[in-house]
Amino acid sequence: EVTLSGDARMGVTNNTDSGDTEFSSRARVKFTMSGETDGGLSFGASFRAHEAGDANGNTEMSSGSVFMSGAFGTITMGNVAGAAEAAVGDLSGVGYTGLGDFSDTVFLTGDGAEGEPIVQYAYTAGDLSVYVSTSDGAQVENYALGVGYKMGDYNFGLGYESSSNAFGAPDGATHLVASVGGTFGAISAKAVYGKADVSGLDADQYGLSATYTADALAVTGFYKVVDTSALPGPFGKTTATGIGASYDLGGGAAVKGGVVNVDFGPVDDSVYDLGVTFSF
Amino acid sequence: EVTLSGDARMGVTNNTDSGDTEFSSRARVKFTMSGETDGGLSFGASFRAHEAGDANGNTEMSSGSVFMSGAFGTITMGNVAGAAEAAVGDLSGVGYTGLGDFSDTVFLTGDGAEGEPIVQYAYTAGDLSVYVSTSDGAQVENYALGVGYKMGDYNFGLGYESSSNAFGAPDGATHLVASVGGTFGAISAKAVYGKADVSGLDADQYGLSATYTADALAVTGFYKVVDTSALPGPFGKTTATGIGASYDLGGGAAVKGGVVNVDFGPVDDSVYDLGVTFSF
Amino acid sequence: EVTLSGDARMGVTNNTDSGDTEFSSRARVKFTMSGETDGGLSFGASFRAHEAGDANGNTEMSSGSVFMSGAFGTITMGNVAGAAEAAVGDLSGVGYTGLGDFSDTVFLTGDGAEGEPIVQYAYTAGDLSVYVSTSDGAQVENYALGVGYKMGDYNFGLGYESSSNAFGAPDGATHLVASVGGTFGAISAKAVYGKADVSGLDADQYGLSATYTADALAVTGFYKVVDTSALPGPFGKTTATGIGASYDLGGGAAVKGGVVNVDFGPVDDSVYDLGVTFSF
C-alpha cells in the first residue's frame, strides 16, 4: 500500500541571502509504502515527491529510506539518521521555517551526510533502545552506536560516532554525545552535550531547550553553542539563542514565529520569521 | 487530506523547434492538499509532481501554492496569478497543446514571472470579486489590483499592475487591462484590451475570442495582437489568429485540434496540432 | 482515476563504479491513470515519480506513456517499447538489482532510445499479437514490426526493426530478432537470436535463460552473447553468464541474489548482489 501525506507553510522571514524580509512558502508531499510478509515481517519505504530522483539512487541513494522489521528489530537503508542521532536527537527549534536549524545537534554520520545509503539497525526492549549504523566503507568509513533510555518523565540518550572524513581532517574524527530530557508539568526541556576529537583537535557543542505549553500555545527557547575554533580553516565558535511560539489552530494548522540570534566570529545577526504551517 | 488528479495528452504538432510535424505527448499528476482549522478556516496547497522541487523552494518557491481562506477572503502564496490576471484572464485558446498560447494575455506580475513566491488576496461578495497581489519587494517591486464583476450572462474584468523590472525597462512599467465577456445562446465570447507604459514608452495588446458549442462539439476562434514595437530591443508587433475545435468523448477524454497563424516581424508562420486529451 | 503503486529494494552489490561491495537501495512510486469514454474506449497514462519531469516533455517526452485502446487495438505514445521488443522481449535476469541487465536483448528502437515520444500500436486476437512502432521521423527515422504467438505452453516472438542512427552508422541499421519460449513442468526457458545489418557490417546476439521454480524458490540462469566486433569503434564481443535465486516471502517481498560473469575484450569480471525487494 502507498499512502500520501503532505505539509505546507507560508509566511515572512529575514533569514534570506539578502537579509531582507521576504515571503517564504513551500508545499511538499510524502509517499509512505508499507507491507507485510507471510511470516509477519513488516517492510516499507518512504520519500518525498521532490526527493524522488535521489530516492532512486541505488548506490547513491541520498533521499528516502527502505526498511524491514520484525522481532529482531528494524533495519533501515538509505538516507537515515546515524545511530548517535537516533539516540540523542536535536534540541527543540523555533520559527515556522526553522530559522537555520541552529538548535540541531551536529553529527558526523547519517541524515544525508554521506550522499549514499547507510544502514541503521534499531532494537527496542521496553524503555531501552539501541542503535547501530554504518556506511559501506567504499567511499567513507563512518559508523555510530547509540543508546536511548526512558525512565518515567525523563529520557536519556548516549551516542558515539566515528567518521573517516569529517571536517576534512586527515585522520577522521570521533564524537561522544549525550542528552537528557524531561517533562516537568507544563514544561519539557532537553540538554545536549557533545565532545569531538577531530584528528587530535578538540571540538564541542552544548545547549539547552525548553518548551512551555498552555492549551494551544507553546513557547520554546533554546541556547546552543558549537565550538570548532580549535580546528584549522573556516571554523569557529557559533552561539545561537532562539525564542519562538506556536499556536495550534487545530486540524493540522498552526501559527508559528521565532527569533534567533546567531553570533559567529565577527557576525552577530538576528533572524526572525512568522507564518502558518499546515499538515495534511 | 492529499488527493490526486491527473491529465495526459498525445497527438501531432508542427509547433516544434524544427517546424517538422512531430509526436507530442505528456502525462502529469497533481497533488491537492486540503484541511480545516477548528475555527472553520480552510487551508490547503497544491502542486504538480514535476514541480515538486520548485514547490519546496521557500523564498524561491516558483511552482505550486499554499492558501488559507475564511470570511475575510482567501490569501494565497507561491506561484499564483497576479491580481490583474485573476480579474481579467486570458482569451480562449485552441489546439490540444495550446500551440504557443498566443491567446494568453500578457501580464507584468504573477504566474511565475517573479521566480519567487508572491501573495494574492481575493475577496468575493456576490457578483463582485476583488484581488490584490504583491511581491515581497526584495528582488522586484511588483503589485497588482483587480476587480471582476458578473452581471447575468456578462462578466467584466479590470486590472492595474506595476512592475519594477518589466521588459528590462529602467523605470519599470505599469499596465491597465480590461476584459468583457458574455454568453449569447450557444456562443461565448470575450474581448481583452491592455495598455502599458513601459518607462514612458507605449505598448498595447488587444484581442477577441469566441466559442460556439453544439452538444459535444466546440469550435473556438481568436485574434490577438501584442504590440511592443515602440520598445527598444527584440520587440515588435505580434499578430496571432487561431481556430480550433474540440469534441468531447465523455469520461474526461476529448479530441482537440487547432491552427494558429503567427505574424511577427518578418516571420509569418502557421502551426497546427491534432490530438486527444485526457483528465483523470 | 489516479492510483499509486510502489517498489523498493535494499542490499549489497559489487556492481559499482569502484568494484567495491556497496550498499544499494532505492524506493520508487508509480502513478497509473485510467478512464473510459462514453463510447467504451479505455485510456490512461503512467509514469514514475522520479520521471515526472521527463513525462511532461511534449515533443521530448522521454519517460512515461499515454494510451488509448478499443476494439481497434491499443495505441500508446511516449517512452514505450518498440514493436520488436514488445514481441520478443528479454531473457530472464538475475539479482535484486539486475546486475547490469546483460540478459536484456539489444533493440534499435523504443524504451527510451529516441529521447522523444514514439508510437506503438498493438493488436491481439486470441493467441496472436501484432505490434507496429515508429518514431516521428523529425530527428531519427526508426520503426519496427513484431509478431507474438502463443501455442499451449510455448510462445514465439519475431521482430524486425530499422533505425537511421544506430551505433552511429552512416546508413543506419536493421535488425531481425526472434525468440522461442516454453514451460516444461517446473522449468520455463527462453532463447533469443538477433542478427543486425549495421550499414553493411554484421552484428548478432544470442542467448538462453531458464528458471526452475519450487514453491517459493526460483533459480534462474542465463547465457548471453552480443557480438558487435565487426563494427568500427569501441565495440566488441560481450559474453555474460549469470545465475541467481529468488525466495518469495509473500506480501510482495522477496529475497534475491545473483552472480554474473561478464567477458568483454580484455575485461573478465564478476559482479554479484544480494538483497530484498518489495512491491507495494
Side-chain angles (χ1 to χ4, degrees):
Chain A
E1 192 194 14
V2 184
T3 57
L4 289 171
S5 58
D7 63 83
R9 64 191 193 192
M10 61 176 170
V12 294
T13 181
N14 77 330
N15 188 25
T16 62
D17 288 342
S18 63
D20 292 333
T21 301
E22 297 187 21
F23 297 145
S24 179
S25 50
R26 74 176 185 194
R28 308 191 299 182
V29 161
K30 187 174 185 176
F31 304 106
T32 301
M33 294 168 260
S34 60
E36 188 175 300
T37 69
D38 291 350
L41 299 177
S42 296
F43 57 86
S46 65
F47 62 91
R48 291 200 171 87
H50 70 277
E51 304 169 338
D54 291 335
N56 186 40
N58 293 301
T59 55
E60 295 178 355
M61 184 189 194
S62 58
S63 287
S65 61
V66 184
F67 78 89
M68 193 164 200
S69 68
F72 62 85
T74 300
I75 187 162
T76 310
M77 190 181 284
N79 177 2
V80 289
E85 180 169 6
V88 170
D90 299 317
L91 297 178
S92 295
V94 300
Y96 88 98
T97 64
L99 287 170
D101 296 326
F102 287 98
S103 54
D104 280 5
T105 308
V106 179
F107 292 101
L108 302 181
T109 173
D111 223 5
E114 281 82 5
E116 58 173 354
I118 67 168
V119 166
Q120 187 213 84
Y121 167 77
Y123 182 84
T124 298
D127 292 327
L128 183 72
S129 295
V130 295
Y131 306 91
V132 179
S133 69
T134 182
S135 71
D136 57 26
Q139 277 80 40
V140 292
E141 294 188 0
N142 291 358
Y143 68 88
L145 309 169
V147 179
Y149 186 69
K150 290 181 189 172
M151 195 172 65
D153 288 337
Y154 296 84
N155 61 76
F156 304 89
L158 182 66
Y160 175 80
E161 49 184 0
S162 172
S163 171
S164 64
N165 81 337
F167 302 97
D171 299 321
T174 60
H175 182 214
L176 187 67
V177 59
S179 67
V180 53
T183 301
F184 318 91
I187 295 179
S188 65
K190 184 174 182 178
V192 168
Y193 176 78
K195 186 168 177 54
D197 176 332
V198 183
S199 294
L201 302 173
D202 282 345
D204 59 9
Q205 60 180 328
Y206 47 89
L208 178 74
S209 69
T211 297
Y212 169 80
T213 304
D215 296 329
L217 180 70
V219 178
T220 296
F222 78 85
Y223 172 76
K224 178 74 193 293
V225 174
V226 178
D227 188 352
T228 54
S229 51
L231 307 187
F235 302 113
K237 182 176 179 178
T238 302
T239 304
T241 313
I243 187 160
S246 171
Y247 190 86
D248 187 351
L249 300 172
V255 178
K256 286 186 189 171
V259 182
V260 174
N261 180 266
V262 184
D263 189 346
F264 174 74
V267 179
D268 189 355
D269 201 17
S270 286
V271 292
Y272 55 81
D273 68 14
L274 179 63
V276 285
T277 62
F278 306 133
S279 66
F280 305 95
Chain B
E1 194 195 14
V2 184
T3 57
L4 289 171
S5 57
D7 62 84
R9 65 193 193 192
M10 61 176 171
V12 292
T13 181
N14 77 331
N15 188 25
T16 62
D17 288 342
S18 63
D20 291 333
T21 300
E22 297 188 22
F23 297 144
S24 178
S25 50
R26 74 176 185 194
R28 306 191 301 181
V29 161
K30 187 176 186 176
F31 303 105
T32 302
M33 294 167 261
S34 59
E36 189 175 298
T37 69
D38 292 348
L41 299 177
S42 296
F43 57 86
S46 65
F47 62 90
R48 290 198 172 90
H50 70 277
E51 303 169 338
D54 291 337
N56 187 39
N58 294 301
T59 55
E60 295 178 355
M61 185 189 193
S62 58
S63 287
S65 61
V66 184
F67 78 89
M68 194 164 198
S69 68
F72 62 86
T74 300
I75 186 161
T76 310
M77 188 181 285
N79 178 1
V80 289
E85 180 168 6
V88 170
D90 299 316
L91 297 179
S92 294
V94 300
Y96 88 99
T97 64
L99 287 170
D101 297 326
F102 287 98
S103 53
D104 280 5
T105 309
V106 180
F107 292 101
L108 302 182
T109 173
D111 225 4
E114 281 82 4
E116 56 173 357
I118 67 168
V119 166
Q120 187 213 83
Y121 167 76
Y123 183 83
T124 298
D127 292 327
L128 182 73
S129 296
V130 295
Y131 306 91
V132 180
S133 69
T134 182
S135 71
D136 57 25
Q139 277 80 40
V140 293
E141 293 188 1
N142 291 357
Y143 68 89
L145 309 168
V147 179
Y149 186 68
K150 290 182 189 171
M151 198 171 63
D153 290 336
Y154 296 85
N155 60 76
F156 304 90
L158 181 66
Y160 174 80
E161 50 184 358
S162 171
S163 171
S164 63
N165 81 338
F167 301 98
D171 299 321
T174 61
H175 181 215
L176 188 66
V177 60
S179 67
V180 54
T183 301
F184 318 92
I187 294 180
S188 65
K190 183 174 182 178
V192 168
Y193 176 77
K195 187 168 176 55
D197 175 332
V198 183
S199 294
L201 301 172
D202 282 346
D204 59 9
Q205 60 180 327
Y206 46 89
L208 179 74
S209 69
T211 298
Y212 169 80
T213 303
D215 296 329
L217 180 70
V219 178
T220 296
F222 78 85
Y223 172 77
K224 178 75 194 293
V225 174
V226 178
D227 188 352
T228 54
S229 50
L231 307 188
F235 302 114
K237 181 177 179 177
T238 303
T239 304
T241 313
I243 187 161
S246 172
Y247 189 86
D248 186 351
L249 300 173
V255 179
K256 287 186 188 172
V259 182
V260 174
N261 181 267
V262 184
D263 189 346
F264 174 74
V267 179
D268 189 356
D269 199 17
S270 286
V271 291
Y272 56 80
D273 69 13
L274 180 63
V276 286
T277 63
F278 306 132
S279 65
F280 306 95
Chain C
E1 193 194 14
V2 184
T3 56
L4 290 171
S5 57
D7 63 84
R9 65 191 192 193
M10 60 176 171
V12 292
T13 181
N14 76 331
N15 188 25
T16 61
D17 289 342
S18 63
D20 292 332
T21 300
E22 298 187 20
F23 297 145
S24 179
S25 50
R26 74 177 185 193
R28 307 191 301 181
V29 161
K30 187 175 186 177
F31 304 105
T32 301
M33 295 168 260
S34 60
E36 188 176 299
T37 69
D38 291 349
L41 299 177
S42 296
F43 56 87
S46 64
F47 61 91
R48 291 201 172 86
H50 70 277
E51 305 169 338
D54 291 337
N56 186 39
N58 293 301
T59 55
E60 295 178 355
M61 184 188 194
S62 58
S63 287
S65 61
V66 184
F67 78 88
M68 193 165 200
S69 68
F72 61 86
T74 299
I75 186 162
T76 309
M77 189 181 286
N79 177 1
V80 290
E85 181 169 4
V88 170
D90 300 316
L91 297 179
S92 294
V94 301
Y96 88 98
T97 65
L99 286 171
D101 295 327
F102 288 97
S103 54
D104 281 5
T105 309
V106 179
F107 293 101
L108 303 181
T109 172
D111 223 4
E114 281 83 3
E116 58 172 356
I118 67 168
V119 166
Q120 186 213 85
Y121 167 76
Y123 183 84
T124 297
D127 293 327
L128 183 72
S129 295
V130 295
Y131 305 91
V132 179
S133 69
T134 182
S135 71
D136 57 26
Q139 276 80 40
V140 292
E141 294 188 359
N142 292 359
Y143 67 88
L145 309 169
V147 179
Y149 186 69
K150 290 181 189 172
M151 196 171 64
D153 289 337
Y154 296 84
N155 61 77
F156 305 89
L158 182 65
Y160 175 80
E161 50 184 359
S162 172
S163 171
S164 64
N165 80 339
F167 301 97
D171 299 320
T174 61
H175 182 214
L176 188 66
V177 59
S179 67
V180 54
T183 301
F184 318 92
I187 294 179
S188 66
K190 183 175 183 177
V192 168
Y193 177 78
K195 187 170 176 52
D197 176 331
V198 184
S199 294
L201 302 173
D202 283 346
D204 59 9
Q205 60 180 327
Y206 48 88
L208 178 73
S209 69
T211 298
Y212 169 79
T213 305
D215 296 327
L217 181 70
V219 178
T220 296
F222 77 85
Y223 172 77
K224 178 74 194 292
V225 175
V226 178
D227 189 351
T228 55
S229 50
L231 307 187
F235 302 113
K237 182 177 180 177
T238 302
T239 304
T241 313
I243 186 160
S246 172
Y247 189 87
D248 187 351
L249 300 173
V255 178
K256 285 186 188 171
V259 181
V260 174
N261 180 266
V262 184
D263 189 347
F264 174 75
V267 179
D268 189 355
D269 200 16
S270 286
V271 291
Y272 55 80
D273 68 14
L274 178 63
V276 286
T277 63
F278 307 133
S279 66
F280 306 95

